[in-house]
Amino acid sequence: MGHYCPLKVRHLNKDRAAFDEVMNADPSLSYDELVNHGSRIARAHRYFRRVTEEWLGSPNDPAFALRADHLAEVLQGGLQLVSIDLTPDEDSQEIFETLNARGTPLTAADLVRNFVFQRLEGEGADSKSAYDPTWLTLR
């Protein structure tokens, strides 16, 4: 299915497989064929695809090209993404906490999870293996 495209935006470990699946799928994908077709990510992707197609209308409609140009303009000029490349010795949990302290307030669960992973990584533990059994059951 689909072509491989290295994704710059990654989702939480819990939803990563579903996110990667819909983001790397062929544009003509059938949602029912997805392994993760019932996930929130797949349902959100289906929703946004549907409303975008409805808003754009038929490709034969003279307004289609204008709407597509407006959509591209908003996505390219009005959407801001930040890519942060870290070296192995940089503390991703500390950077996460610092960046988020300047934006939307974090929930108590976000702060606790961040603290736990910061400690695990500081002690040399495998934070990925700790994430799956512990945090997936708490969400």
Side-chain angles (χ1 to χ4, degrees):
M1 171 177 297
H3 61 284
Y4 175 75
C5 176
L7 299 170
K8 293 288 185 181
V9 176
R10 300 305 305 234
H11 207 275
L12 291 174
N13 293 338
K14 171 180 144 182
D15 298 319
R16 182 168 290 167
F19 181 82
D20 288 353
E21 185 177 30
V22 295
M23 296 307 292
N24 289 315
D26 291 327
S28 61
L29 75 98
S30 169
Y31 288 96
D32 294 333
E33 294 175 9
L34 295 173
V35 172
N36 298 290
H37 66 274
S39 72
R40 287 182 178 177
I41 297 288
R43 292 192 328 252
H45 190 277
R46 180 185 288 204
Y47 168 79
F48 284 107
R49 179 177 168 182
R50 180 181 56 79
V51 298
T52 301
E53 288 173 348
E54 287 173 4
W55 183 77
L56 288 171
S58 169
N60 298 326
D61 183 340
F64 179 87
L66 182 61
R67 288 186 188 121
D69 286 344
H70 284 303
L71 179 60
E73 184 180 319
V74 167
L75 292 174
Q76 293 171 358
L79 182 65
Q80 295 181 1
L81 298 175
V82 175
S83 175
I84 302 172
D85 296 318
L86 303 177
T87 62
D89 61 317
E90 290 178 302
D91 187 341
S92 61
Q93 303 302 324
E94 184 176 327
I95 291 170
F96 168 80
E97 213 168 73
T98 302
L99 291 172
N100 278 292
R102 296 182 177 101
T104 305
L106 299 173
T107 66
D110 291 328
L111 293 170
V112 169
R113 180 177 60 221
N114 186 55
F115 175 75
V116 168
F117 286 114
Q118 191 172 17
R119 291 292 302 270
L120 286 172
E121 289 176 4
E123 295 172 8
D126 180 8
S127 60
K128 167 87 173 95
S129 64
Y131 180 92
D132 292 339
T134 306
W135 294 100
L136 290 179
T137 58
L138 294 176
R139 286 199 157 229

